[in-house]
Amino acid sequence: MPRRRHRTGWLRMGSLAAFTVVFVGFAIAAPGFLVVGNIANVVDQSAILGVLAFGMTVVIIGGGGDVITGGIDLSLAGNLGLSAAVFAVLSQSGSGDVLAVVAALASGVAVGFVNAFAVVRLRILPLLATLAVMNICAGVELVLTHNMVVQARSSLLSRLAGDGPFGLPVLAYLLLAIAFVLVLAVQCSPTGLRLYAVGGHREAARAAGLAVERHVGGSYLVSGLCGGIGGVFSAALLNGSTPGSGEMLLSIVVAALLGSVFSRRLVPTIAGTLLAVLFIGFLINGFQLINVSSYWVSGVEGVLILFVVGTTSLVRREMS
Amino acid sequence: MTAPPSVTSAVRVEALAVRGLVKTFGGVRALDGANLTVATGTIHGLVGQNGAGKSTLIKIIAGIYRPDAGVITIRGRPVDHLTPARVTEHGIHMIHQDRLLVPTFTVAEALFLGQEPRRGALPVIDRRALRSRAREALHRIFDIDLSPDALVGELTTAQQQIVQITRALLNQPAMLVLDEPTAALVRRDAERLLATLLRLRDQGLTILYISHYLAEIERLCDQVTVLRNGVDVGTVDPRQTSTTGLISMMIARDVGDMFPRRKAGAGAPALIAQALSQQDAFSDISLSVRHGEIVGLTGLVGSGAKELARCLFGVTTPDQGTISVDGQTLRPGDPAAAVAAGVAMVPEDRRGHGVALRLSVRENTTLAGLKRFSPFGLLNRKAEHRETDRLIRALAIRTPDGNSPVRDLSGGNQQKVVLAKWLSCQSSVFVLDEPTVGVDIGAKVEIYRLIADLAVDGAAILLVSSDLMELSGMADRILVMYRGRIAAELLSRETDADTLMRFVTTGRGGEADADAA
């Protein structure tokens, strides 16, 4: 069993090393990469992906890391699109910011509720349940927007898209603030620990007297809320709602899965996901700076998924 | 071995009592009016052969099953509608055989999951208190220094067991129920666990201890209840009862004519294993099974018998040693090679590995030998039908026709389908793992006849079973495994059930007391 410890160590060190190599490589190859403004820019552009990946992380923690039967929320990207559409449509029709934000977040939580109901009550595999809900989201979004760009302008949106203290983007601050809150809730609170227990060994959690279903359902509600927040962020960055949010799905999955290699237990963590999100952000940013087509990013993400799922399941198999 | 300090059980109220417990599963009576009384502050043993009703009784006490009839009283008060949570509230903690711990948790987290120390009123775990309390608890209860930060998945089986028991003891329970706690432990760790349990008993804890190891029962228990066929046949003081006495209580004697008569076969060696070893399972196992011979293989959970059977079929890879069939060495860890060499495996968990429940009887029977029915890559349905019909008749499989899904058949008939599957491949070596578990008596007799016929026709059969009666009745020779090694090779016609039982439960032939020393 020390062999396993060895391997997880290698995996963790290797991933950190890869992160560093990419970072240093771009810093040398692309002047302007290592400038505060650019770094802040990357964090800013990672905000949407980050918030969604946090939601995915919470779901995977509570549902377990099994690729097929474990927790996953494929509806997150669709949820983002729907919530952004709700915000934009309300905003365009003259509603105030408060109402629009509350409605967008509520639609996100509602999507999470449908997921929770399908997974916990109807006992549908999360992979299938959230795939179906993803389609529902996309459908409702089309009904709301007729597959067109819905412009939205408001003081809140321009403030969100603007700069905060020290001239750094507001969304960057918000991403870090949300990460901080979630680290407290997931990594430091009893509820977080119990969520890990539910995902790590359901029978053990039940034997410890935990309300397994409530934890799993709760994880989808949190994920839904993250989708709603992502929708508001997206509306701010894009000045409204734009079709095509579904393309983010792969990146969300990558970020949440990649994050687990940074933990000694090979489980997803909020901090690990944040690192993974920034890694992907820097990758895209670096490619742009050295004039490599961003089309490559999708391929690289696919490779990362294969790598992470392959290595972690290999190490897990050795453990059992 | 010293006597416990003044057990005045007669005066005290009993910690747990069950009266007239009945539980039926689909027509089979697992419990048929069982009684059990556990006196406060004692260690009470529960023994019985496989199928005697032990696990059903434990699961009822744990609140997992609901009894059809009977009364349970805890500290003199009748309780009903038990659930696992209620049982815990009554101060009874269960240590199940499979360790229920989250592998990605640290020792400290696993110990305090559900009752984590917090920083004041904040919903934030106090990590420092968590660690120090974990260290203190492990030290107090087991006197060991296990790092609270070690991951559960990286612990040894014994350490995981320690974590689980420590966890149960955190809340000062009145009673602990342990189901085969030493089955997966090596000798030294088992000894330490027993010593700890004795100490806990002396501190006032009541313990219900289920084990197959009679030496442990004698060393540990103040009283032991023997279950047989769902009824308690007696409760005795194990220190005043010989091992032989306990064993004869455990064994039913009405063997009858269930087993077909057959002359012991003596053909050429068919299946030979040489110096097989597998870490944590078994070591240095050599055996041979001749054509026409039925060899029994038995052993307690953790003895390595199950693991050996799986290894012989190529499901797992041995660390050392070779397996050959009819003189041809098999590639280790390759079931396909084993099938090609004529080996058939009937697994214990037939729903998991043996049959495809949704497929029809016909599809299942011809699944392993499909090539014979598809000379040009297409199935010859007619040949397939003919073969299936022949097998259904030969094995007396009770099914409307070959097209019915296997799911609709009874357990015994499903088992026959598994056998039919391998018969259709014309295998010459059979590894049968618990072929009659969960099968009603009528189907049992038919399966026995079938196995005997196979042997008469020259097949070599390794019969892995924990049913000692079945082994005595069917096998020519019986190999008994004990803690990873073959402890004895016995000729069934020269061995009575008591001797066999003694080898299985103690690993040696004489009186078992020596084992505990």
Side-chain angles (χ1 to χ4, degrees), chain B residues 69-70 152 179 222 236 238 245 264 320 331 338 346 350 357 369 373 378 488-489:
Chain B
V152 167
D179 187 6
D222 304 303
V236 294
Q320 266 163 30
R331 219 168 74 104
V346 178
R350 55 181 168 267
L357 286 175
F373 303 105
L378 293 174
E489 177 175 341

Side-chain angles (χ1 to χ4, degrees), chain B residues 313-315 331 333-340 343:
Chain B
F313 187 61
V315 179
R331 219 168 74 104
D334 184 359
V339 173
V343 184

Side-chain angles (χ1 to χ4, degrees), chain B residues 35 37 59 86 101 106 157 191 194 213 230 257 280 291 331 345 354 365 383 421 450 485:
Chain B
N35 303 298
T37 306
K59 284 190 171 142
R86 286 242 185 102
L101 295 167
T106 67
T157 312
E191 283 301 320
L194 299 193
Y213 295 100
D257 282 340
D280 298 335
H291 281 291
R331 219 168 74 104
M345 168 97 181
T365 41
K421 169 170 124 182
L450 192 70
R485 292 177 180 277

Side-chain angles (χ1 to χ4, degrees), chain A residues 15-316:
Chain A
S15 312
L16 282 171
F19 196 109
T20 318
V21 166
V22 168
F23 204 80
V24 171
F26 281 137
I28 294 169
F33 179 77
L34 216 55
V35 174
V36 175
N38 186 53
I39 293 177
N41 192 24
V42 170
V43 180
D44 178 43
Q45 285 171 352
S46 302
I48 297 176
L49 177 61
V51 172
L52 297 186
F54 290 157
M56 183 70 90
T57 305
V58 171
V59 165
I60 296 180
I61 291 171
D66 188 292
V67 185
I68 302 193
T69 60
I72 194 163
D73 186 353
L74 297 180
S75 70
L76 263 165
N79 187 350
L80 162 101
L82 175 60
S83 306
V86 167
F87 185 96
V89 168
L90 279 177
S91 186
Q92 204 180 40
S93 66
S95 301
D97 276 334
V98 175
L99 178 65
V101 167
V102 168
L105 297 187
S107 97
V109 174
V111 171
F113 181 81
V114 177
N115 282 326
F117 185 81
V119 170
V120 174
R121 274 289 147 77
L122 305 181
R123 294 170 189 270
I124 303 174
L125 274 187
L127 197 68
L128 291 176
T130 58
L131 185 71
V133 174
M134 171 182 94
N135 259 12
I136 297 175
C137 289
V140 178
E141 184 191 343
L142 284 180
V143 170
L144 286 178
T145 66
H146 305 290
N147 204 20
M148 288 192 296
V149 174
V150 180
Q151 297 277 350
R153 278 181 218 290
S154 75
S155 57
L156 175 77
L157 289 191
S158 39
R159 192 171 308 160
L160 278 180
D163 288 342
F166 308 109
L168 302 178
V170 170
L171 283 188
Y173 283 108
L174 282 178
L175 176 67
L176 296 181
I178 292 172
F180 179 74
V181 170
L182 280 176
V183 164
L184 276 184
V186 173
Q187 252 69 55
C188 301
S189 81
T191 309
L193 186 72
R194 293 168 190 188
L195 191 66
Y196 274 108
V198 168
H201 193 325
R202 200 159 283 203
E203 288 316 305
R206 206 162 267 142
L210 305 187
V212 169
E213 279 75 18
R214 208 176 303 161
H215 283 83
V216 174
S219 75
Y220 285 96
L221 291 184
V222 170
S223 176
L225 179 63
C226 287
I229 296 174
V232 176
F233 284 9
S234 155
L237 269 187
L238 303 173
N239 290 321
S241 132
T242 329
S245 63
E247 284 170 22
M248 286 199 76
L249 184 56
L250 185 68
S251 307
I252 301 171
V253 177
V254 178
L257 291 178
L258 187 59
S260 65
V261 299
F262 295 115
S263 100
R264 142 171 109 115
R265 317 164 184 215
L266 283 186
V267 294
T269 59
I270 295 298
T273 300
L274 183 62
L275 269 181
V277 165
L278 293 179
F279 177 73
I280 294 170
F282 280 116
L283 212 59
I284 298 172
N285 177 257
F287 276 174
Q288 283 163 351
L289 289 181
I290 59 173
N291 285 325
V292 175
S293 162
S294 60
Y295 295 147
W296 281 95
V297 171
S298 209
V300 171
E301 286 178 348
V303 170
L304 282 177
I305 288 200
L306 287 182
F307 167 77
V308 172
V309 174
T311 43
T312 50
S313 56
L314 208 71
V315 176
R316 279 211 196 100

Side-chain angles (χ1 to χ4, degrees), chain B residues 294-305:
Chain B
I294 301 179
V295 174
L297 177 66
T298 189
L300 303 175
V301 174
S303 67

